[in-house]
Amino acid sequence: RHESKGRQAMADSIVIWGSGAIGGTIGAHLSRAGHEVLFVDTVPEHVAAIEAGRLTIEGPVAQFTTGGRAATPDKVTGRHKLIILAVKAHHTEAATHALAPHLAEDGAVVSCQNGLNELVIADIVGRPRTIGAFVNFGADYLEPGRIMYGVRGAVVVGELDGARTPRITALHAALRDSFEPDAVLSDNVFGYLWGKAGYGAILKSSALTNDSIADFIADPARKALVIGLVREILSVAAAEKVTPLGFDGFDPAPFAGTDMAAIEATMARMVTYNRGSAKSHSGIWRDLAVRKRPTDVAAQLAPVRAAARRHGVPTPLADKLVELITGIEQGRLEQGGALGDALGALARPL
């Protein structure tokens, strides 16, 4: 049932541009809580299901069916003050150009994506009309009208300059009250995004294999690779003068040092968190193994690698990771433990 009355909602409709795993989960919760939501997606069958009130969230975290207004990008009309962008990183530029005519002059785009996509968005619609966000909950788009919400995770929003504005406090309240009670309003959203860049590198490398995320991190044979990847990303963040922040058991700070007990402790917490998720494998693994489509690995790592080049920081693991994922996408390489070994061979011995 689509509940749209009787609860306090934001005055203007919220546009979810990209209504798959991330956007569909957030949008469904906002809709259920009484917010006026416009779902936008490129899959006509998914749009039809949402309009018919058949958007189902399932899994251990939440079970409900809702709906709302929905359209494909070419059918969107009007201008809107708040657009939550939730497409894959490699679709960010095209999607932002498509939504730009529908963004109010005093509106904002919220990047609920994986990667440092705020930089791409700001180049197109302007930095003042860009809001930063970090999400780490686990969800999978299963089929039109069906999304599996596998585990709660960090949800953070913040202005790019760290300011406390009326629009950011309203967005934070809407997310906290309808979706994630522990949602954070941060003055250092880039700290979270760079933290996720380090953690996300582990998820990307796990997709080279068929291991679950938890099994990959817990495997002693992958230990040097996991630590090496995080350290490599953190070295770029340090060059950028960003202090990465932790979340959901992941603490980046120990990786920058030599206290192996502290590193092992945060890795153990990461394993525990991922074992508790109904989403056992990364979305990248799912794109490669199930949906047979290109991933956004290269796009997610592009700003990290570009920053590394600017500062003269070597990133051999990130470079090789992109090369191997691309090989799988192009059908030249096959997912499996051997690719994990190939990447791990470049990691420095502990």
Side-chain angles (χ1 to χ4, degrees):
R1 187 168 66 90
H2 178 214
E3 300 176 6
S4 58
K5 297 180 180 179
R7 301 185 188 181
Q8 183 65 36
M10 292 181 75
D12 298 293
S13 62
I14 301 171
V15 178
I16 305 290
W17 201 286
S19 302
I22 293 176
T25 302
I26 295 173
H29 281 80
L30 289 168
S31 178
R32 182 177 65 162
H35 294 279
E36 188 63 39
V37 178
L38 170 61
F39 295 86
V40 180
D41 201 81
T42 58
V43 180
E45 296 83 0
H46 191 46
V47 167
I50 296 170
E51 281 211 299
R54 292 187 285 104
L55 175 56
T56 298
I57 303 298
E58 56 191 77
V61 181
Q63 289 270 3
F64 65 93
T65 299
T66 185
R69 292 187 299 136
T72 51
D74 59 308
K75 301 295 185 185
V76 176
T77 60
R79 303 186 78 182
H80 307 270
K81 291 191 68 171
L82 186 66
I83 300 179
I84 293 177
L85 182 60
V87 300
K88 295 279 189 177
H90 55 310
H91 298 312
T92 301
E93 184 175 357
T96 306
H97 280 297
L99 67 80
H102 304 292
L103 181 64
E105 282 300 322
D106 59 346
V109 179
V110 186
S111 174
C112 285
Q113 303 168 269
N114 288 316
L116 294 159
N117 300 288
E118 286 81 355
L119 304 176
V120 177
I121 296 166
D123 278 345
I124 297 170
V125 302
R127 197 173 175 91
R129 294 202 293 170
T130 305
I131 289 176
F134 161 71
V135 293
N136 194 53
F137 63 90
D140 278 324
Y141 170 91
L142 302 179
E143 64 183 26
R146 286 184 63 210
I147 295 172
M148 192 278 291
Y149 182 15
V151 66
R152 288 176 58 198
V155 174
V156 180
V157 293
E159 295 285 6
L160 300 191
D161 62 0
R164 187 65 59 95
T165 61
R167 71 181 187 183
I168 201 67
T169 54
L171 172 62
H172 174 245
L175 292 172
R176 183 194 61 213
D177 297 340
S178 62
F179 176 51
E180 176 48 61
D182 296 329
V184 172
L185 176 52
S186 175
D187 62 0
N188 182 21
V189 71
F190 278 109
Y192 284 99
L193 293 172
W194 274 96
K196 180 62 179 286
Y199 176 71
I202 302 171
L203 305 189
K204 294 172 179 64
S205 62
S206 74
L208 294 172
T209 76
N210 288 306
D211 294 340
S212 69
I213 298 168
D215 286 345
F216 187 88
I217 298 172
D219 187 347
R222 307 295 183 203
K223 186 175 178 180
L225 172 58
V226 168
I227 295 172
L229 273 167
V230 176
R231 283 178 169 167
E232 188 172 284
I233 302 299
L234 293 185
S235 68
V236 183
E240 285 280 279
K241 295 182 169 52
V242 175
T243 301
L245 300 175
F247 52 89
D248 298 331
F250 172 66
D251 181 4
F255 289 93
T258 58
D259 185 345
M260 194 55 63
I263 294 173
E264 290 172 347
T266 191
M267 288 177 66
R269 289 192 295 270
M270 291 154 61
V271 170
T272 299
Y273 173 80
N274 282 286
R275 290 226 191 278
S277 173
K279 180 184 170 74
S280 60
H281 291 67
S282 71
I284 294 159
W285 177 89
R286 187 175 179 82
D287 280 343
L288 294 170
V290 180
R291 304 187 77 180
K292 306 293 184 183
R293 67 179 188 179
T295 73
D296 60 353
V297 167
Q300 282 193 44
L301 286 172
V304 176
R305 296 168 74 202
R309 303 298 172 264
R310 287 197 303 272
H311 297 291
V313 177
T315 55
L317 290 172
D319 297 343
K320 185 67 172 181
L321 176 55
V322 171
E323 177 189 319
L324 293 174
I325 292 289
T326 302
I328 299 172
E329 293 171 345
Q330 295 176 348
R332 294 184 288 103
L333 299 175
E334 185 176 348
Q335 277 174 294
L339 293 188
D341 294 341
L343 183 61
L346 298 182
R348 291 181 179 177
L350 296 175

